[in-house]
Amino acid sequence: QVQLVESGGGSVQAGGSLRLSCAPSRSIYMGYCMAWFRQAPGKEREEVASIDGYGSTTSTDSVKGRFTISKDNEKKTMALQMNSLQLEDTAMYYCAAIGTPWCNGKFASWGQGTQVTVSS
């Protein structure tokens, strides 16, 4: 079991940037698959981006070219750099992890979430 602690959410105007961070309580998870999900009011939760234990990344089409997922092994954190934020990016963002290096399983560990609000 691992605890995931998110930080970095907040309010920003459209076109602005935010950086989310996720710190796992067990550093071994830095070698595992980790991801960011988001859920807006009235909508289903969606996977935003993932990074596996080898550094390979995926992202949903709506954020390609704007969001970047990465790991910092020195700081033992996973981050989501969000640029050119749009109103539709407003949501609660969650860090999640699978206990294996590959991102083809069920995300068993979840953070508490951090709110991102984009205004016009």
Side-chain angles (χ1 to χ4, degrees):
Q1 193 76 338
V2 63
Q3 290 184 329
L4 303 172
V5 179
E6 302 107 331
S7 62
S11 297
V12 66
Q13 287 192 321
S17 299
L18 282 174
R19 185 177 180 87
L20 306 183
S21 290
C22 174
S25 60
R26 297 176 60 197
S27 61
I28 192 173
Y29 272 76
M30 293 301 296
Y32 291 165
C33 172
M34 299 181 73
W36 289 96
F37 287 75
R38 67 185 179 187
Q39 187 167 22
K43 294 188 176 181
E44 292 188 356
R45 185 177 63 195
E46 67 168 340
E47 182 175 323
V48 177
S50 66
I51 181 166
D52 69 15
Y54 306 100
S56 294
T57 63
T58 64
S59 60
T60 192
D61 286 346
S62 63
V63 308
K64 278 184 167 63
R66 300 188 299 122
F67 291 10
T68 302
I69 190 171
S70 62
K71 287 180 180 176
D72 187 328
N73 288 316
E74 285 193 10
K75 296 181 179 178
K76 301 290 190 287
T77 58
M78 188 263 292
L80 184 69
Q81 178 66 41
M82 305 186 293
N83 299 328
S84 301
L85 282 160
Q86 302 169 356
L87 297 179
E88 50 267 36
D89 294 319
T90 295
M92 185 71 78
Y93 284 70
Y94 298 91
C95 174
I98 300 175
T100 69
W102 306 280
C103 294
N104 58 356
K106 181 179 179 180
F107 285 92
S109 302
W110 294 84
Q112 293 297 308
T114 185
Q115 178 68 37
V116 171
T117 302
V118 184
S119 60
S120 58

